[in-house]
Amino acid sequence: MTAHNHTEQIPSAEQLLLSRGVKPTPQRVVIAEYLLQTESHPTADEVLSAVAQALPVALSRATVYNTLNTLKEAGVIKEVLTEPGRVRYDANITHHHHFVDVKTGKIVDIPSDKVEAIGKLLGDQYKVHGFQVLFYGEVESG
Amino acid sequence: MTAHNHTEQIPSAEQLLLSRGVKPTPQRVVIAEYLLQTESHPTADEVLSAVAQALPVALSRATVYNTLNTLKEAGVIKEVLTEPGRVRYDANITHHHHFVDVKTGKIVDIPSDKVEAIGKLLGDQYKVHGFQVLFYGEVESG
DNA sequence: ATTAGTGCAAATCATTTGCAATTAG
DNA sequence: CTAATTGCAAATGATTTGCACTAAT
């Protein structure tokens, strides 16, 4: 039950970009909208093909990369490293972790509070600024 | 106080390869030896330049990649993903985690038992086969 | 007009692959 | 001789960059 009624509480992608100091060009808005509504942790290429589809505007590969980097630097999205050779993106910028379903390859967000305790497990010779957990396993379909 | 006396308890790289069913060619032995004695989590390129140095044998980039893949598949080494775009390698094949020192970029191994508890933190809708923690912070120099 | 942003094509970087030459059994 | 391994160079895939073009102030 996530918020997608008609009385739209979610800030528009455009407002989000503005609030982060990123000029909301049509390309950027479309990419941000796509990332905000998917849970698929897409690569740059996946963003391009998904967005090239229902396309209200032309979009080049270079712009996808530019935009992803701009959004990342502005804190609108995060990089996710799960496999060698490609970067995935996630519009969930809350501190959280990932679970890779080894059967389907699906990547599921795991909220931070589930694994919060981790930050305290290392001795005090380590100052932990943050951490990132990548789980591998299977998610119950039900 | 790790084992590096002269009464060498450590199996030779050659024996290690044999025990894993990998034919110990000179190139493979040299690469394995290098990985076994470093804690630097090198990339393929770093392996190449390090080994090209004190070189008892010629070595091409392709062979470095071939060997790293062979050793990985044989379970002699592990991949470590800490940054986009490149793979690092670790001859520590015990189940463990990593700590990236944000000041120096150094990557330190964290033994599994320090964070063991993590596997149990998710609810039972997740069957956790394994997990990988990447810490960011600072290590006390002392 | 000036500046930021886009798109194309070329460049770069890490990695892989095809294939001929080399080595080991 | 046969099979596996190496090395070179070309190919590939992801990402970046140079630069001319366009849009917005």
Side-chain angles (χ1 to χ4, degrees):
Chain A
M1 221 125 289
T2 31
H4 46 355
N5 332 347
H6 278 192
T7 47
E8 188 79 49
Q9 302 260 334
I10 306 167
S12 70
E14 184 166 346
Q15 281 168 22
L16 176 59
L17 296 191
L18 285 169
S19 76
R20 298 285 183 149
V22 176
K23 190 200 277 189
T25 67
Q27 289 87 340
R28 288 171 175 175
V29 169
V30 169
I31 291 174
E33 274 168 352
Y34 174 66
L35 287 171
L36 285 166
Q37 61 77 51
T38 186
E39 294 186 342
S40 72
H41 302 78
T43 62
D45 232 65
E46 287 165 357
V47 170
L48 178 57
S49 22
V51 169
Q53 293 270 89
L55 186 89
V57 65
L59 185 57
S60 73
R61 190 175 307 272
T63 296
V64 172
Y65 279 103
N66 287 339
T67 297
L68 291 171
N69 285 330
T70 301
L71 296 182
K72 175 182 49 149
E73 271 140 40
V76 176
I77 62 178
K78 280 180 161 183
E79 284 182 356
V80 184
L81 302 181
T82 57
E83 319 143 77
R86 41 153 138 248
V87 179
R88 298 185 166 278
Y89 293 91
D90 192 343
N92 177 356
I93 51 152
T94 65
H95 178 42
H96 69 279
H97 306 277
H98 295 99
F99 188 103
V100 179
D101 189 303
V102 298
K103 293 265 175 71
T104 64
K106 227 170 233 158
I107 301 167
V108 181
D109 285 354
I110 300 290
S112 187
D113 60 322
K114 294 236 178 201
V115 296
E116 209 169 11
I118 270 185
K120 278 137 197 162
L121 296 179
L122 299 189
D124 34 54
Q125 67 180 297
Y126 300 97
K127 277 201 195 66
V128 176
H129 295 182
F131 58 91
Q132 164 67 43
V133 187
L134 196 51
F135 293 93
Y136 298 93
E138 292 162 63
V139 191
E140 300 282 307
S141 16
Chain B
M1 225 132 284
T2 32
H4 45 353
N5 331 347
H6 279 191
T7 49
E8 188 80 48
Q9 302 262 333
I10 306 168
S12 71
E14 186 165 345
Q15 282 167 23
L16 176 59
L17 297 191
L18 285 170
S19 76
R20 298 285 182 148
V22 177
K23 189 199 279 188
T25 68
Q27 289 86 343
R28 286 172 176 174
V29 170
V30 169
I31 291 174
E33 275 169 352
Y34 174 66
L35 288 171
L36 285 166
Q37 60 76 51
T38 187
E39 294 185 343
S40 72
H41 302 79
T43 62
D45 232 65
E46 287 164 358
V47 171
L48 178 58
S49 21
V51 170
Q53 293 269 91
L55 187 89
V57 64
L59 186 56
S60 73
R61 189 176 308 273
T63 297
V64 172
Y65 279 103
N66 286 340
T67 297
L68 291 172
N69 285 330
T70 301
L71 296 183
K72 175 182 49 149
E73 271 139 40
V76 177
I77 61 176
K78 280 180 161 183
E79 283 182 357
V80 184
L81 302 180
T82 57
E83 320 143 75
R86 40 152 138 250
V87 178
R88 297 184 167 278
Y89 292 92
D90 193 343
N92 177 356
I93 52 153
T94 65
H95 179 42
H96 68 280
H97 306 278
H98 294 100
F99 188 102
V100 179
D101 189 304
V102 298
K103 294 265 174 72
T104 63
K106 225 169 235 156
I107 302 167
V108 181
D109 285 355
I110 300 291
S112 187
D113 60 320
K114 294 238 180 199
V115 297
E116 210 169 10
I118 271 184
K120 279 136 197 163
L121 296 178
L122 300 188
D124 35 52
Q125 68 181 296
Y126 300 95
K127 276 200 195 65
V128 176
H129 295 182
F131 58 91
Q132 166 65 43
V133 187
L134 196 51
F135 294 93
Y136 298 93
E138 292 161 62
V139 191
E140 299 282 309
S141 14

